[in-house]
């Protein structure tokens, strides 16, 4: 009887070890090293989020065009949410991401501050199209090629929103041309 109990106990212990090992295969646990590509994606995404928030706040305060105001509000909401998720992801992997816009967008902001009305609206929305085209490519690449599940999931989660932002900006641009 002791032998049977010992065999049963060993079997149960083996299952516990097996299932524990399987459970540790979670992509969110930063055990494998993060690739330079994934780290660069996080840095680029962070700059993009802060760029969008900074310029959207400016558009919200300067533009008198209802379409631009709605778009800017959407940029603020969506990119703040995206950044909050990105900060959590970066912290999980001990990646230092920027917490401000890049120097190029600070220069763009300075230029936009000199504009009003139609000139501001068209310059802002053209910049949004360019930025979102870049963001679509960045997020698509990460969604397709990252080896880390949590990075792929983040990129895949926000890629449809970024595409929608691009399409929305293109529609606004077309309406401004009329």
């Amino acid at each position: 009887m002791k032998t049977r109990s010992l065999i049963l106990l060993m079997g149960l212990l083996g299952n516990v070890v097996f299932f524990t090992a399987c459970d540790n295969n979670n992509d969110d646990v930063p055990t494998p090293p993060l690739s330079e590509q994934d780290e660069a994606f996080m840095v680029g995404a962070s700059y993009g989020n802060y760029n969008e928030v900074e310029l959207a706040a400016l558009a919200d305060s300067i533009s008198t065009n209802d379409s631009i105001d709605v778009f800017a509000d959407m940029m603020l909401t969506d990119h703040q949410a995206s950044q909050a998720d990105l900060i959590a992801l970066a912290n999980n992997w001990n990646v230092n991401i920027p917490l401000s816009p890049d120097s190029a967008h600070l220069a763009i902001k300075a230029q936009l501050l000199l504009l009003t009305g139609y000139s501001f609206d068209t310059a802002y929305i053209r910049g949004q199209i360019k930025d979102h085209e870049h963001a679509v490519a960045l997020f698509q690449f990460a969604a397709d090629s990252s080896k880390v599940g949590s990075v792929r999931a983040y990129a895949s989660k926000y890629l449809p929103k970024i595409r929608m932002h691009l399409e929305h900006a293109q529609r606004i641009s077309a309406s401004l041309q009329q």
Side-chain angles (χ1 to χ4, degrees), residues 48-49 51-53 55-56 71-72 74-76 78-79 82 105 124-140 158-170:
N49 285 326
N51 295 340
E52 297 309 325
V53 167
L55 295 180
F71 183 79
M74 181 176 56
M75 293 300 95
L76 286 166
D78 290 352
H79 286 282
S82 176
H105 282 81
Y124 170 71
I125 211 66
R126 274 195 312 260
Q128 289 300 297
I129 291 169
K130 180 181 170 189
D131 286 349
H132 283 86
E133 286 172 342
H134 174 75
V136 165
L138 179 70
F139 276 68
Q140 185 68 62
Y158 287 101
L159 182 58
K161 280 191 183 275
I162 296 167
R163 283 190 176 123
M164 187 262 302
H165 294 166
L166 174 59
E167 291 169 5
H168 193 160
Q170 290 168 330

Side-chain angles (χ1 to χ4, degrees), residues 18-112:
F18 173 76
F19 287 115
T20 301
C22 288
D23 190 45
N24 285 338
N25 192 18
N26 182 345
D27 281 335
D28 291 333
V29 176
T31 49
L34 191 67
S35 73
E36 287 180 22
Q37 178 181 328
D38 287 333
E39 194 168 334
F41 164 72
M42 286 189 225
V43 168
S46 184
Y47 273 132
N49 285 326
Y50 279 110
N51 295 340
E52 297 309 325
V53 167
E54 187 82 10
L55 295 180
L58 181 65
D60 225 15
S61 68
I62 292 179
S63 182
T64 58
N65 181 300
D66 290 341
S67 295
I68 298 288
D69 288 340
V70 168
F71 183 79
D73 288 343
M74 181 176 56
M75 293 300 95
L76 286 166
T77 301
D78 290 352
H79 286 282
Q80 287 170 338
S82 176
Q83 187 63 20
D85 285 351
L86 182 60
I87 288 170
L89 176 64
N91 286 342
N92 190 45
W93 287 93
N94 296 317
V95 173
N96 292 319
I97 57 173
L99 301 176
S100 63
D102 60 32
S103 59
H105 282 81
L106 291 174
I108 290 168
K109 180 181 178 183
Q111 292 172 344
L112 287 172

Side-chain angles (χ1 to χ4, degrees), residues 1-14:
M1 192 70 155
K2 284 185 178 182
T3 307
R4 187 180 290 163
S5 296
L6 184 59
I7 291 172
L8 182 59
L9 182 60
M10 294 295 282
L12 287 174
L13 184 58

